[in-house]
Amino acid sequence: MTATVPVTAALALGDDALVLSHRLGEWMGHAPVLEEEVALANIALDLLGQARVLLSMAGDEDELAYLREERAFSNLQLVEQPNGDFAHTIARQLYFSTYQHLLYAELAAGDGPFAALAAKAVKETAYHRDHAEQWTLRLGDGTDLSHQRMRTACTALWRFTGEMFQPVEGLGTDLGALRTGWLEAVGAVLRRAGLPVPEGAQSGAWTAGAGRQGLHTEPFGRMLAEMQHLHRSHPGASW
Amino acid sequence: MVTATALEAELLALAGSVPDPELPVLTLSELGVVRGVRVQDAGAVEVELTPTYTGCPAIETMAADIRQALRERGVQDVTVRTVLAPAWSTDDITDEGRRKLREFGIAPPRTTRETGPVALALGPTRTLDEDPVRCPHCGCADTELLSRFSSTACKALRRCLACREPFDHFKEL
């Protein structure tokens, strides 16, 4: 690892992975079928592994995960959105895993400080993306109810997708340039699923799309409280 | 490339002979995760270990088991360092490792021999292609995917369409 770690970028990517990992973990005991529960837990575990590497590049992983306040987190607002129904979770997975897969492929091809992690994670994320795409097809092209729910979810989360392509200091890759490939890939899946590509803006009112700057949506604070309370209640405890 | 000493070769073999904590039929060297052993000037030993998946929870147990094995050989000062690059691939599992997986009831990964991302097509769940995932129980090539993720992150759950047995498949990475 090089001497100068781009801390801002490591935190941004690490927080994305950590927060989505926690959200997916909330499905444990609630998923529609056992296989899906196992799948979501495995995806969460992959993301947690990536988060541990990324946060450790920026500092002490436990302190960063458990002792920072809401405003210090720089994750995308997309990944902190509540799980909603299963369609919302899948729409979030489709949007984010496509982005993460394209981004890691780009980082793995370079020789920057994230190349080693990205070369591993790109292969893990390929499975996450495949999982999300398969479910989008099944739900979009399924029953009237599943189609309607998937359509509602894709539209509801669309306004959080623009933030993914804002520049991140020290990342060493042009995130704006990923947007074309992302739109093509997500658009192709949605069309195959018989779902319309949402037409609204990819970022909403003043707060939407400011997660990288530490501005988060209201449910994030409650998620953090649950995620952090054990560590804060029992400082230094171990199993 | 630094030439390994006889001691380093011996310790490498010893670290590699430790069984995998989740798939105890395999040794760590058959899994391809022990990258090297270096004996430093003061007699301290550093072992390089690479994770299968970034978040593999078995890595800490592997490190503890390696330290234990080397201590029993009389090496007290052992550091196990996790290295990410070059990324582990299922191609790193040895032929003997693949044979043992099959014997254990897990379909071994197919050879990828590719670099870069794994391209996954939106296709059917059955794999009657030129390189099918075969049932480890009856050898039949007609099997279907039940879930992309199984008991651990590295496996997928499949079912044989001949003998109807479900089985784990060590998926390609």
Side-chain angles (χ1 to χ4, degrees):
Chain A
M1 216 55 61
T2 55
T4 51
V5 173
V7 170
T8 306
L11 284 176
L13 302 191
D15 287 347
D16 283 350
L18 175 70
V19 171
L20 186 57
S21 170
H22 190 83
R23 279 293 186 213
L24 291 173
E26 290 174 353
W27 272 107
M28 294 313 92
H30 303 280
V33 289
L34 186 59
E35 286 82 359
E36 200 45 37
E37 179 139 329
V38 171
L40 293 171
N42 273 310
I43 294 171
L45 182 62
D46 283 346
L47 290 168
L48 188 61
Q50 295 164 17
R52 291 188 63 184
V53 172
L54 287 159
L55 294 183
S56 295
M57 289 171 77
D60 180 276
E61 54 176 330
D62 285 338
E63 279 184 24
L64 288 168
Y66 295 121
L67 297 175
R68 272 183 302 162
E69 302 290 338
E70 182 183 341
R71 288 292 297 266
F73 278 81
S74 58
N75 55 280
L76 299 165
Q77 291 181 351
L78 174 68
V79 297
E80 76 201 28
Q81 294 311 303
N83 288 333
D85 62 10
F86 189 68
H88 274 78
T89 291
I90 292 303
R92 194 182 57 197
Q93 283 303 108
L94 177 70
Y95 292 165
F96 184 74
S97 65
T98 305
Y99 162 75
Q100 207 188 23
H101 187 229
L102 294 172
L103 173 57
Y104 279 145
E106 187 88 15
L107 293 172
D111 57 358
F114 300 111
L117 169 71
K120 280 196 79 59
V122 71
K123 298 197 282 183
E124 298 164 5
T125 312
Y127 282 103
H128 306 176
R129 184 175 168 182
D130 180 59
H131 171 264
E133 290 180 354
Q134 300 285 352
W135 269 114
T136 302
L137 295 180
R138 286 174 69 180
L139 296 175
D141 198 15
T143 64
D144 287 346
L145 180 61
S146 74
H147 174 88
Q148 189 51 50
R149 285 194 178 200
M150 198 61 208
R151 185 173 179 156
T152 303
C154 287
T155 305
L157 293 174
W158 188 252
R159 71 189 178 102
F160 296 107
T161 56
E163 189 184 9
M164 299 191 288
F165 309 106
Q166 289 175 7
V168 171
E169 183 196 328
L171 191 57
T173 191
D174 182 4
L175 284 172
L178 288 186
R179 188 195 288 264
T180 312
W182 185 89
L183 279 171
E184 273 172 20
V186 168
V189 176
L190 292 176
R191 277 189 290 276
R192 278 196 63 195
L195 293 161
V197 179
E199 285 175 350
Q202 279 187 277
S203 54
W206 70 276
T207 49
R212 292 275 186 246
Q213 284 80 52
L215 294 178
H216 295 283
T217 53
E218 188 260 342
F220 184 55
R222 280 183 275 129
M223 192 210 94
L224 268 192
E226 183 171 309
M227 188 179 94
Q228 296 183 334
H229 98 270
L230 191 68
H231 185 93
R232 288 180 185 268
S233 306
H234 304 276
S238 64
W239 294 108
Chain B
M1 185 76 194
V2 182
T3 314
T5 64
L7 177 62
E8 283 172 335
E10 186 201 332
L11 296 180
L12 179 64
L14 190 60
S17 69
V18 168
D20 177 88
E22 282 181 359
L23 297 164
V25 289
L26 288 193
T27 65
L28 296 187
S29 77
E30 285 160 353
L31 188 62
V33 293
V34 181
R35 283 279 162 80
V37 170
R38 263 197 306 276
V39 178
Q40 276 137 359
D41 295 341
V45 172
E46 187 183 79
V47 181
E48 284 189 343
L49 186 65
T50 195
T52 53
Y53 281 66
T54 316
C56 179
I59 193 104
E60 281 162 27
T61 311
M62 288 179 189
D65 291 351
I66 289 173
R67 280 194 293 272
Q68 176 71 20
L70 265 58
R71 281 203 191 105
E72 282 169 10
R73 157 70 177 67
V75 183
Q76 291 306 318
D77 189 356
V78 184
T79 310
V80 180
R81 203 162 64 85
T82 304
V83 291
L84 294 180
W88 180 85
S89 153
T90 40
D91 289 349
D92 296 339
I93 300 177
T94 64
D95 290 340
E96 177 64 3
R98 285 161 200 272
R99 190 190 63 76
K100 287 181 173 177
L101 278 176
R102 201 177 296 115
E103 212 171 76
F104 193 57
I106 297 172
R110 292 163 293 178
T111 310
T112 61
R113 304 272 180 245
E114 281 174 12
T115 54
V118 183
L120 295 170
L122 292 171
T125 55
R126 286 166 71 167
T127 55
L128 270 180
D129 53 26
E130 69 280 0
D131 188 13
V133 178
R134 287 182 178 275
C135 170
H137 306 296
C138 73
C140 176
D142 194 6
T143 67
E144 66 174 347
L145 181 68
L146 296 180
S147 175
R148 273 159 199 79
F149 300 89
S150 185
S151 54
T152 62
C154 55
K155 288 180 245 135
L157 187 63
R158 300 189 72 90
R159 175 165 50 205
C160 175
L161 293 170
C163 72
R164 307 300 296 174
E165 279 291 319
F167 64 90
D168 269 336
H169 165 222
F170 205 125
K171 64 195 179 199
E172 294 75 25
L173 189 75

